[in-house]
């Protein structure tokens, strides 16, 4: 990085966040004004919101040219909105990716920029603590504890979207065309010098979480199937184990029949149990293969990850 006054763009996907946006605008404006050493720009990507989010962002952009609205034609999902923001940050020296709900405090951004200025091309914001409770907290903790042990490529635990990418890292993301995107995994996969900045994840500023439990589960599955062959390997191991077990059981009963220990035809319950067990294993295997095949099908269709809504005519 050679620019003495670099351009730093914030990429922030937004979906039904009209209750949060006023505070987000205020805190980002305060951050920009307090950090004159950078040229700041906030790119807010409206992901087909059904509330007044796009209207509020458009009004803020008219008041402050450092804010910009990118409006998608419909709801494509958080990862697609993130890809749209990265693609639009063509003139930025560094790009900060974050959520709009202020659980990732903007006040941490100067520390991310400082780590980037020190030579890191990828800066991850790592969570020392988080405020979620109940089932969501259990799900997040379980995911981060188990996921790293399942995938073939290491992803730092307790990291998410929040972080910074240098110009080279942003261009590397532009070369990744896949549809089922898992941002932390892709960020780890591209490599480059990396630094970590710890922070405490906050509660939502207002409103309810827009990422439902179902969406979070699908996001976790995208991460697993995109970065691990373990489900396929488990099917192979299970098949080998069942085959060996079946051969051993068959040999056992054959020997009993040969030496005369058992002469009557028995084992109906055992037979039904084995058939049901093997049928269940086969259905699970078909489901796992279907997950991989479905993702291959999506990639082959080559549909765009997102579509941007045309600008309003005056």
């Amino acid at each position: 990085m050679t620019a003495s006054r670099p351009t730093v763009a914030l990429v922030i996907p937004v979906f039904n966040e009209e209750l949060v946006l006023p505070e987000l605008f205020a805190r980002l404006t305060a951050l920009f004004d307090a950090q004159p050493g950078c040229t700041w720009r906030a790119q807010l990507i409206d992901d087909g919101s059904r509330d007044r989010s796009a209207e509020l962002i458009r009004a803020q952009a008219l008041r402050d040219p450092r804010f910009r609205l990118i409006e998608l034609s419909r709801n494509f999902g958080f990862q697609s909105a993130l890809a749209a923001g990265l693609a639009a940050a063509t003139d930025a020296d560094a790009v900060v990716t974050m959520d709009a709900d202020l659980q990732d405090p903007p006040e941490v951004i100067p520390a991310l920029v400082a780590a980037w200025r020190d030579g890191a091309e990828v800066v991850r914001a790592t969570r020392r603590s988080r405020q979620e409770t109940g089932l969501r907290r259990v799900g997040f903790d379980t995911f981060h504890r188990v996921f790293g042990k399942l995938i073939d490529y290491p992803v730092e635990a307790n990291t998410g979207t929040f972080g910074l990418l240098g110009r080279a890292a942003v261009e590397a993301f532009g070369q990744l065309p896949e549809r089922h995107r898992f941002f932390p995994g892709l960020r780890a996969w591209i490599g480059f010098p990396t630094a970590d900045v710890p922070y405490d994840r906050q509660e939502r500023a207002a409103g309810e979480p827009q990422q439902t439990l179902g969406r979070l589960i699908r996001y976790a599955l995208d991460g697993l199937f995109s970065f691990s062959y373990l489900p396929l390997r488990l099917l192979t191991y299970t098949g080998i184990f069942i085959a060996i077990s079946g051969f051993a059981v068959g040999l056992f009963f054959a020997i009993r029949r040969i030496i005369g220990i058992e002469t009557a035809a028995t084992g109906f319950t055992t037979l039904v149990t084995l058939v049901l067990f093997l049928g269940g294993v086969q259905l699970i295997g078909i489901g796992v293969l279907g997950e991989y095949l479905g993702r291959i099908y999506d990639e082959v269709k080559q549909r765009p990850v997102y579509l941007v809504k045309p600008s309003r005519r005056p």
Side-chain angles (χ1 to χ4, degrees):
M1 182 192 62
T2 60
S4 59
R5 185 182 171 87
T7 298
V8 179
L10 276 60
V11 170
I12 310 174
V14 175
F15 178 67
N16 293 343
E17 295 286 9
E18 66 173 319
L19 297 178
V20 176
L21 287 175
E23 183 175 348
L24 176 65
F25 296 152
R27 290 171 66 175
L28 290 180
T29 300
L31 169 68
F32 296 166
D33 293 340
Q35 300 289 328
C38 297
T39 299
W40 296 97
R41 186 171 71 248
Q43 297 183 164
L44 293 99
I45 302 90
D46 181 68
D47 188 25
S49 296
R50 295 185 293 270
D51 61 4
R52 297 175 58 248
S53 294
E55 179 183 339
L56 293 177
I57 299 170
R58 189 176 293 109
Q60 178 66 18
L62 292 175
R63 290 191 297 267
D64 189 339
R66 294 175 296 187
F67 290 81
R68 178 188 176 192
L69 168 65
I70 300 174
E71 197 170 359
L72 302 188
S73 61
R74 63 170 176 83
N75 178 244
F76 284 90
F78 182 89
Q79 296 297 310
S80 296
L82 200 61
L86 290 173
T90 55
D91 60 343
D93 298 298
V95 175
V96 175
T97 55
M98 61 181 292
D99 295 344
D101 56 14
L102 292 174
Q103 288 187 287
D104 301 327
E107 292 75 18
V108 179
I109 293 176
L112 301 178
V113 174
W116 169 63
R117 284 180 177 271
D118 288 339
E121 187 66 19
V122 175
V123 184
R124 300 174 299 203
T126 57
R127 300 158 183 155
R128 285 181 300 222
S129 63
R130 59 190 313 151
Q131 300 299 320
E132 288 93 346
T133 58
L135 184 60
R136 289 176 67 88
R137 177 60 180 269
V138 173
F140 281 127
D141 290 344
T142 302
F143 173 75
H144 286 292
R145 187 163 50 247
V146 174
F147 183 72
K149 300 179 181 179
L150 298 181
I151 61 175
D152 299 322
Y153 196 84
V155 175
E156 180 68 23
N158 295 315
T159 59
T161 302
F162 195 25
L164 180 145
L165 302 173
R167 183 72 252 158
V170 173
E171 292 176 355
F173 263 90
Q175 300 177 46
L176 305 177
E178 55 215 72
R179 273 70 183 159
H180 296 274
R181 306 173 72 87
F182 180 69
F183 183 79
L186 295 176
R187 183 175 57 193
W189 184 87
I190 63 174
F192 296 109
T194 303
D196 293 310
V197 173
Y199 78 106
D200 297 306
R201 189 165 168 84
Q202 308 298 311
E203 294 182 353
R204 281 184 60 89
E208 296 296 326
Q210 299 303 319
Q211 293 283 18
T212 63
L213 181 61
R215 287 188 176 187
L216 291 174
I217 292 175
R218 287 195 296 272
Y219 183 52
L221 290 177
D222 282 341
L224 177 61
F225 288 114
S226 296
F227 289 92
S228 177
Y229 296 110
L230 182 61
L232 293 174
R233 294 190 184 111
L234 287 178
L235 287 178
T236 302
Y237 300 151
T238 301
I240 294 173
F241 173 76
I242 291 175
I244 294 175
S245 299
F247 177 78
V249 171
L251 182 62
F252 170 74
F253 283 108
I255 293 174
R256 285 170 61 91
R257 183 68 60 85
I258 291 172
I259 64 178
I261 296 178
E262 181 179 308
T263 57
T266 59
F268 176 76
T269 302
T270 302
L271 180 62
V272 171
T273 302
L274 288 174
V275 169
L276 292 176
F277 172 70
L278 291 175
V281 171
Q282 290 172 340
L283 289 176
I284 293 172
I286 292 172
V288 171
L289 292 174
E291 288 289 341
Y292 283 100
L293 184 60
R295 282 161 172 76
I296 295 172
Y297 179 57
D298 286 339
E299 299 297 330
V300 170
K301 286 186 291 188
Q302 290 291 303
R303 291 178 182 171
V305 178
Y306 59 87
L307 293 173
V308 178
K309 185 183 294 187
S311 301
R312 290 188 175 183
R313 296 176 181 176

